[in-house]
Amino acid sequence: ITETANDLRAQHGAHYFSELALTRAKELGFHSEFESIRTVGEAEYLKKHGAQLWAVDADVHKRYERVVERKSETDQVSFEKFKADEQREWDNQDPAKQNLKAVIAMADHVFTNNGTQEELFAQVEAALKTIK
C-alpha cells in the first residue's frame, strides 16, 4: 500500500491525497478531520489551506506494546522489525514520501500519548481551548 501511495504522489504531486480529501470535503460542505498525514507535501498542502496540524506521538516501546495488543495479523512482528519499519518512515528528503519527523515538526500541537486515554484527552482539550 505504501509503495502504491508513494507512486501516486510521484505521478500527481506530493500533496495528491490531501488535495483529493480536502476537495471532496469542501464539495460536501463538511468540516473535516484527516488522520495519518505522513508526508511533508500533504502537511504543507493542508496548512496552506487553513488546516491545523496536530501530531500524536508516543515512546517506541509504548507504540509496539499497543500494536501487539491489537492482535491483528499484520501487527505480528518482532520489536526489531517494528523499529525498522518505523525508521523507513521517519526521515526522507522526498516530500512525496513518508517523513514523520518533519511532519511532527510542522505540527501546531504535539501530544505525547504515553499514558491513559484520559491523559491524552486532557491534552487535546487544552489545545482546543487555544483555538479562536
Side-chain angles (χ1 to χ4, degrees):
I1 294 174
T2 301
E3 287 180 26
T4 301
N6 288 344
D7 288 345
L8 287 168
R9 285 189 209 94
Q11 291 174 10
H12 301 287
H15 62 282
Y16 179 65
F17 292 108
S18 291
E19 182 178 9
L20 287 176
L22 192 56
T23 298
R24 184 70 174 140
K26 285 181 179 180
E27 287 171 357
L28 296 171
F30 292 152
H31 292 280
S32 300
E33 171 186 319
F34 305 107
E35 68 172 76
S36 200
I37 304 302
R38 295 174 175 270
T39 71
V40 171
E42 291 171 344
E44 286 175 342
Y45 183 86
L46 290 170
K47 287 186 69 104
K48 179 180 173 184
H49 288 87
Q52 281 222 353
L53 191 62
W54 291 16
V56 180
D57 198 9
D59 173 78
V60 66
H61 296 288
K62 182 59 83 172
R63 290 194 308 275
Y64 181 70
E65 177 184 309
R66 290 172 178 156
V67 162
V68 170
E69 287 175 2
R70 281 195 305 226
K71 297 182 181 177
S72 91
E73 189 173 314
T74 59
D75 291 334
Q76 294 177 7
V77 298
S78 69
F79 182 63
E80 291 73 27
K81 177 161 177 17
F82 177 79
K83 287 192 312 185
D85 290 347
E86 285 202 336
Q87 187 58 42
R88 275 196 313 276
E89 293 191 356
W90 184 246
D91 192 9
N92 193 317
Q93 299 308 307
D94 183 340
K97 292 187 177 176
Q98 292 71 20
N99 185 341
L100 295 175
K101 179 181 176 181
V103 172
I104 290 170
M106 295 171 66
D108 298 291
H109 297 279
V110 179
F111 307 103
T112 302
N113 187 19
N114 288 328
T116 65
Q117 282 186 345
E118 291 76 19
E119 291 168 328
L120 177 62
F121 294 164
Q123 293 178 65
V124 171
E125 289 294 327
L128 286 170
K129 291 177 183 175
T130 69
I131 298 175
K132 297 175 180 154

